[in-house]
Amino acid sequence: MAHRLADNSAAIFSPSVARIAASTARDWSYVDAWLASKSPAWKSSLPPFERNQDTLKALLALVSINEAADDQRRLLARVDATALQGLSAHDRAEMPSSSSSSNNNNNNNSSSSNSGGNTALTKGHLLDAIEHSLPKDGANALNVLTAVASEAAATASPDPDHIGRLMLRLQGRIYGAEQTAARVDALERHLQRETEAAEELLHTLQSDGYKPPSDLAKQNLDVQRRIKTVSAQLPDLHDRVTALAASVATPHPAIGDVIELEQQYQALLFHVRELSEQLAALSQQGAR
């Protein structure tokens, strides 16, 4: 018991375990502070069942990404503010000279307006003015729309022939997709039929007709007993067969014996023929 207590105390007061626990506590404190700063709903602590290493790792990654994005936005805002201050200072520096020159220009413009009239703004000047007047979000949205229009070939090049070719190509793709869907449906129906047939076969194989008899174990034991009995009788039967084969003499006729038997057979045939002729002659005499 004392040994177990010593081991437990060593495990509890281990420097490495304490260091890991302190690091984990600092990470959770940092994550809790970040969540509370982002939303009032996160002022309360996370539930205990969500305080694990996976959740902590995911939240730390989220905090890191969010802080990097915040730093980038702050840097862009600082650059915009610096540029705005520079433009404001430049405008203030040029304002006195521009006021004096504007008076001269007004005099000149009044004379020229009487002779030639105001110059109309071109389409390019108008588009440039709109583009320069857009805020940063508007410029980003315009760039996105431009990219989308470039991706859409029909919008980027409104040529009727080109649009017709695109429509034909699209119709071909639609037809191919429909054919593929039809083949997939046919394959699905075939698989469904095969599945139903397999289920029916499985149900048939699991029926009582294919189940082994209840006394199969007893029959197996009887067959094994018979096999052992016959196996024990095999040497005796083999000896009997050998003795019978030795006692029974198997005839082996020679060629001369065969010739002699053939001659006797032919003589008997000749004798039978003679007897037949004699019987025929006697029958004719009796008929007379």
Side-chain angles (χ1 to χ4, degrees), residues 64-250:
S64 177
I65 294 172
N66 187 266
E67 287 182 349
D70 290 341
D71 293 338
Q72 186 177 4
R73 283 193 293 270
R74 282 194 295 269
L75 181 61
L76 291 175
R78 191 180 300 115
V79 170
D80 291 340
T82 304
L84 183 60
Q85 290 177 0
L87 291 175
S88 299
H90 185 268
D91 291 339
R92 285 194 299 270
E94 289 186 353
M95 189 174 294
S97 60
S98 62
S99 60
S100 60
S101 61
S102 63
N103 293 326
N104 297 326
N105 291 330
N106 289 330
N107 295 326
N108 295 328
N109 289 332
S110 60
S111 60
S112 62
S113 61
N114 294 327
S115 60
N118 294 327
T119 304
L121 292 175
T122 61
K123 182 179 179 180
H125 293 162
L126 182 60
L127 292 177
D128 291 338
I130 293 174
E131 183 178 0
H132 289 301
S133 299
L134 286 174
K136 182 170 292 185
D137 295 337
N140 292 332
L142 184 60
N143 292 331
V144 171
L145 289 176
T146 305
V148 172
S150 299
E151 291 294 333
T155 305
S157 55
D159 186 10
D161 296 336
H162 185 66
I163 293 175
R165 288 193 297 270
L166 289 177
M167 292 296 293
L168 289 176
R169 192 179 306 163
L170 182 60
Q171 288 293 334
R173 291 180 181 177
I174 292 173
Y175 179 75
E178 290 177 352
Q179 293 297 318
T180 304
R183 288 194 292 269
V184 170
D185 291 338
L187 180 60
E188 184 179 2
R189 290 193 297 269
H190 178 69
L191 291 176
Q192 185 67 27
R193 290 194 298 269
E194 292 295 331
T195 303
E196 292 176 356
E199 290 178 354
E200 184 178 358
L201 178 60
L202 179 61
H203 181 70
T204 303
L205 293 176
Q206 290 178 349
S207 61
D208 296 335
Y210 288 89
K211 289 183 179 179
S214 58
D215 57 345
L216 181 62
K218 183 179 179 181
Q219 293 179 6
N220 190 12
L221 291 175
D222 293 339
V223 171
Q224 290 180 1
R225 191 179 298 110
R226 291 177 184 176
I227 291 173
K228 290 180 180 179
T229 303
V230 173
S231 299
Q233 294 176 358
L234 279 178
D236 187 17
L237 295 175
H238 183 69
D239 294 339
R240 290 183 182 180
V241 170
T242 304
L244 289 174
S247 62
V248 176
T250 305

